[in-house]
């Protein structure tokens, strides 16, 4: 039963009682030529009782139907459906607005920025607002953007390709877009005039080498591969020897997707690093961790494990063309001091761009 139907049913009985009492009073007045004043007052008092009851029910129903505006609060699902930082910022914001800082901290956490990073950013924002006397929507937004951008600037966001050949080792868990990112990166380097050779080091996944060959053809790069199930270290060794003989500028090595908590698979990465150090001891080496923007807080755990095993020098953040914010890279930058170097924005060969911290936080907030 709907609320208003229930309210009408409960409110109907007092009104019917009120009508019956009034009819009884009129009947008594017609029978008695000179009603006593006491009888009239008694009847009037009786009619007021149901009237007061009706007014009480009506007042309680009105309070239930229309709760005060200040008690209304957006639920978690509404925030998840429309996760946009700008919704937190009102027209009038001051350093004393506790509700604003609480909502902002919550929204940063929902954007996967991380608990510690969110708390630290909000604390710093409040401090700057006090020191610089910042207030109002746009000035506060700009101040927060500056704070988050500073947290992301932890190292050189460019690639170190100072030697010939240089090596780029691409690592990450299953399904984050390593092979696709390699194809995009190879195409980008080719347009810069570099000779690129791709190494099909993922010999475990079915058709992984075939997929990389397709990307090599698109990017017009050379490829070294072996049969499925071959030793990845042997494939990398052949690729390095081919690079030396052909005068290649950059070798990009694909690796098998592996869970960060599988010790034996992570040991394979350490083996690849040893081969590179042995065969090209003076070569510039970039180890790029590919992270899915939808990963969330698990991305920090992945980054820690891969950093310990392979020594990450940068991050490629993929799948930013969807609704994911990828805020976990801010926490990774703060805790591991690993910069984001590239972002993937689609499936096309040109859908990779160098990471720009200011543009990123501008889209986040």
């Amino acid at each position: 039963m709907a609320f208003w139907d229930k309210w009408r049913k409960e409110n109907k009985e007092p009104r019917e009682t009120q009508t019956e009492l009034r009819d009884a009073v009129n009947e008594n007045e017609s029978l008695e030529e000179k009603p006593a004043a006491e009888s009239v007052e008694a009847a009037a008092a009786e009619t007021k009782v149901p009237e007061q009851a009706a007014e009480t029910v009506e007042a309680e129903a009105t309070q239930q139907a229309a709760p005060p505006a200040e008690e209304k609060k957006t639920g978690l699902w509404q925030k998840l459906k429309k996760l946009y930082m700008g919704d937190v910022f009102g027209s009038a914001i001051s350093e004393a607005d506790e509700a604003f800082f609480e909502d902002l901290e919550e929204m940063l956490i929902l954007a996967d920025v991380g608990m510690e990073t969110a708390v630290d950013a909000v604390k710093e924002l409040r401090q700057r607002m006090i020191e610089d006397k910042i207030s109002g929507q746009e000035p506060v937004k700009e101040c927060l953007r500056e704070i988050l951008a500073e947290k992301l600037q932890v190292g050189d966001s460019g690639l170190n390709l100072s030697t010939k050949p240089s090596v780029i080792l691409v690592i990450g868990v299953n399904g984050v877009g390593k092979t696709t990112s390699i194809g995009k990166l190879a195409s980008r380097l080719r347009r810069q005039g570099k000779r690129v050779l791709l190494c099909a080091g993922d010999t475990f996944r079915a058709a992984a080498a075939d997929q990389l060959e397709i990307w090599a053809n698109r990017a017009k790069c050379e490829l070294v591969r072996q049969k499925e199930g071959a030793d990845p270290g042997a494939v990398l060794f052949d690729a390095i020897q081919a690079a030396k003989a052909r005068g290649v500028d950059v070798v990009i090595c694909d690796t098998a997707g592996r869970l960060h908590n599988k010790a034996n698979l992570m040991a394979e990465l350490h083996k690849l690093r040893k081969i590179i150090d042995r065969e090209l001891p003076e070569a510039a080496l970039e180890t790029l961790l590919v992270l899915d923007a939808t990963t969330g807080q698990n991305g920090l755990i992945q980054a820690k494990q891969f950093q310990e095993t392979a020594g990450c020098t940068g991050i490629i953040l993929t799948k930013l063309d969807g609704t994911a914010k990828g805020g976990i890279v801010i926490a990774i930058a703060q805790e591991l001091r690993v910069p984001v170097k590239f972002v993937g924005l689609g499936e096309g060969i040109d859908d990779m761009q160098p990471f720009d911290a200011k543009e990123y936080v501008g889209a986040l907030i």
Side-chain angles (χ1 to χ4, degrees), residues 104-120:
L104 178 60
E105 186 178 300
E106 182 179 357
M107 294 303 287
L108 287 172
I109 293 171
L110 288 175
D112 292 326
V113 171
M115 174 68 76
E116 293 183 7
T117 307
V119 171
D120 183 60

Side-chain angles (χ1 to χ4, degrees), residues 140-340:
V140 172
K141 271 188 180 182
E142 187 59 34
C143 183
L144 181 59
R145 292 189 186 110
E146 291 177 1
I147 292 171
L148 295 179
E150 290 171 3
K151 292 182 179 297
L152 283 166
Q153 294 169 354
V154 294
D156 187 4
S157 60
L159 292 175
N160 177 16
L161 305 176
S162 56
T163 63
K164 184 175 180 176
S166 298
V167 181
I168 300 176
L169 188 64
V170 181
I171 60 179
V173 300
N174 298 290
V176 293
K178 293 187 300 299
T179 306
T180 302
S181 298
I182 289 172
K184 296 175 184 178
L185 183 57
S187 176
R188 184 178 187 84
L189 294 175
R190 278 282 296 146
R191 292 196 300 271
Q192 295 175 2
K194 296 186 180 296
R195 186 174 180 180
V196 181
L197 183 145
L198 303 186
C199 172
D202 184 358
T203 59
F204 294 99
R205 181 167 61 90
D210 295 334
Q211 182 186 5
L212 189 63
E213 185 173 1
I214 293 172
W215 279 107
N217 294 333
R218 290 178 182 175
K220 299 179 181 178
C221 299
E222 302 170 57
L223 174 69
V224 171
R225 59 174 295 183
Q226 291 187 13
K227 64 180 181 180
E228 187 175 320
D231 180 12
V235 182
L236 177 58
F237 177 83
D238 289 348
I240 291 175
Q241 301 309 314
K244 291 178 180 179
R246 302 174 192 177
V248 169
D249 295 307
V250 183
V251 177
I252 305 179
C253 181
D254 191 12
T255 60
R258 62 203 70 220
L259 294 175
H260 54 279
N261 56 359
K262 297 295 183 182
N264 59 327
L265 295 178
M266 295 297 285
E268 284 283 350
L269 290 180
H270 185 65
K271 177 182 176 182
L272 296 179
R273 282 295 304 268
K274 289 177 64 176
I275 293 174
I276 295 171
D277 293 339
R278 186 187 68 217
E279 299 301 322
L280 294 171
E282 303 297 328
L285 172 63
E286 290 278 357
T287 304
L288 301 182
L289 172 64
V290 181
L291 276 182
D292 187 333
T294 64
T295 301
Q297 292 300 302
N298 194 40
L300 180 58
I301 301 174
Q302 293 177 21
K304 287 180 179 179
Q305 294 296 326
F306 281 108
Q307 173 77 325
E308 292 176 3
T309 303
C312 303
T313 60
I315 292 172
I316 299 177
L317 187 62
T318 62
K319 304 179 185 179
L320 270 180
D321 52 322
T323 58
K325 302 292 183 180
I328 190 60
V329 294
I330 302 177
I332 293 173
Q334 282 293 285
E335 187 160 343
L336 304 181
R337 315 305 291 176
V338 178
V340 182

Side-chain angles (χ1 to χ4, degrees), residues 15 25 40 46 70 148 161-162 172 279:
R15 291 182 178 177
V25 171
V40 175
E46 291 177 358
E70 60 270 18
L148 295 179
L161 305 176
S162 56
E279 299 301 322

